[in-house]
Amino acid sequence: MPPADDQQISKFELAELNDAVVACRRCPRLVDWRELAAREKRAAFRDHDYWGKPVPSFGPANAKILVVGLAPAAHGANRTGRMFTGDRSGDWLYRAIWQAGLANGPESTAADDGLQLLDTRITSIVRCAPPENRPTVEERNLCLPYFRRELELLSQLRVIVCLGAFAWENCARELGIRPRPKFAHALEHSVGSLTVICSYHPSQRNTFTGLLSEEMLAAIFQRAAELARSDRVNQGAVDS
């Protein structure tokens, strides 16, 4: 599939959107970095075949909860080809999702491991692994049309969980939240029928220092699941 322009992206359905993400080569610096990481590899993964491409979203099209991160990790999702898979951040994230009843298992180890998400989809603002985990403003802007279109297509979405300030700031911008409240863990903000919840990112920096505990992250997803279930119950009452 050839790289798509913004006008094409705005017309894609979800399957086409994921295909377009995987084919994207819009940002030369990110293309070089993700492919370099895939060639040089980390010693622990020297026998692994790296994905080395932009990472598509993971989860069902009828998701009520969207989890948004910053970008794939060079030796995590850039290696496995699945969001938040193959690194310690993902280990924390998927345990919390499973504990909230939103997955059929507590681990995500590979794109073909049989894991299924329930009512939940995972994505990131930037789809390629950036050097030092820091995309430029231009790179972010070139990637945002994919995220923007995904938000339009997730018709049953009721909750967005933003992992970190970068995800919150960009979600708030796309949703037209003004003035934008300052990022804080467990911050909730409603936009029509949608609730945005903020969480510290489960990065090693945050988890090793104790800024984020497993109990804190689990509580975020329990709350997201509660909101999603509440919406389902309310909709059932309306339908009846």
Side-chain angles (χ1 to χ4, degrees), residues 21-34:
V21 166
V22 172
C24 188
R25 300 183 66 87
R26 288 181 151 201
C27 303
R29 187 183 78 115
L30 298 189
V31 171
D32 290 346
W33 178 253
R34 78 191 191 212

Side-chain angles (χ1 to χ4, degrees), residues 58 82 102-105 113-118:
F58 171 50
R82 180 193 279 170
L102 299 171
N104 66 345
D113 62 6
L115 181 71
Q116 295 181 5
L117 299 182
L118 311 173

Side-chain angles (χ1 to χ4, degrees), residues 6-50:
D6 287 3
Q7 185 174 9
Q8 290 172 311
I9 292 170
S10 69
K11 298 177 182 178
F12 284 147
E13 297 301 318
L14 274 178
E16 296 172 311
L17 189 66
N18 267 357
D19 289 343
V21 166
V22 172
C24 188
R25 300 183 66 87
R26 288 181 151 201
C27 303
R29 187 183 78 115
L30 298 189
V31 171
D32 290 346
W33 178 253
R34 78 191 191 212
E35 293 180 355
L36 177 65
R39 288 194 306 272
E40 294 190 344
K41 305 182 181 181
R42 180 170 286 172
F45 307 125
R46 65 170 61 91
D47 297 328
H48 291 222
D49 292 327
Y50 273 56

Side-chain angles (χ1 to χ4, degrees), residues 69-124:
L70 190 162
H75 303 284
N78 186 58
R79 174 173 60 87
T80 64
R82 180 193 279 170
M83 286 288 176
F84 280 95
T85 298
D87 58 27
R88 291 184 179 178
S89 294
D91 293 344
W92 277 57
L93 176 63
Y94 284 103
R95 275 198 301 272
I97 288 172
W98 174 70
Q99 289 167 358
L102 299 171
N104 66 345
E107 296 180 332
S108 179
T109 58
D112 60 355
D113 62 6
L115 181 71
Q116 295 181 5
L117 299 182
L118 311 173
D119 282 340
T120 304
R121 190 173 174 90
I122 304 178
T123 192
S124 60

Side-chain angles (χ1 to χ4, degrees), residues 17 36 40 53 56 61 67 74-75 84 100 119 134 138 149 157-158 164 166 180 183-184 199 207 228 230 238:
L17 189 66
L36 177 65
E40 294 190 344
K53 292 176 281 193
V67 183
H75 303 284
F84 280 95
D119 282 340
R134 293 180 180 175
E138 181 181 8
R149 180 56 178 161
L157 191 63
R158 294 296 176 266
F166 185 88
R180 183 175 69 235
F183 173 84
S199 171
T207 59
S230 174
V238 171

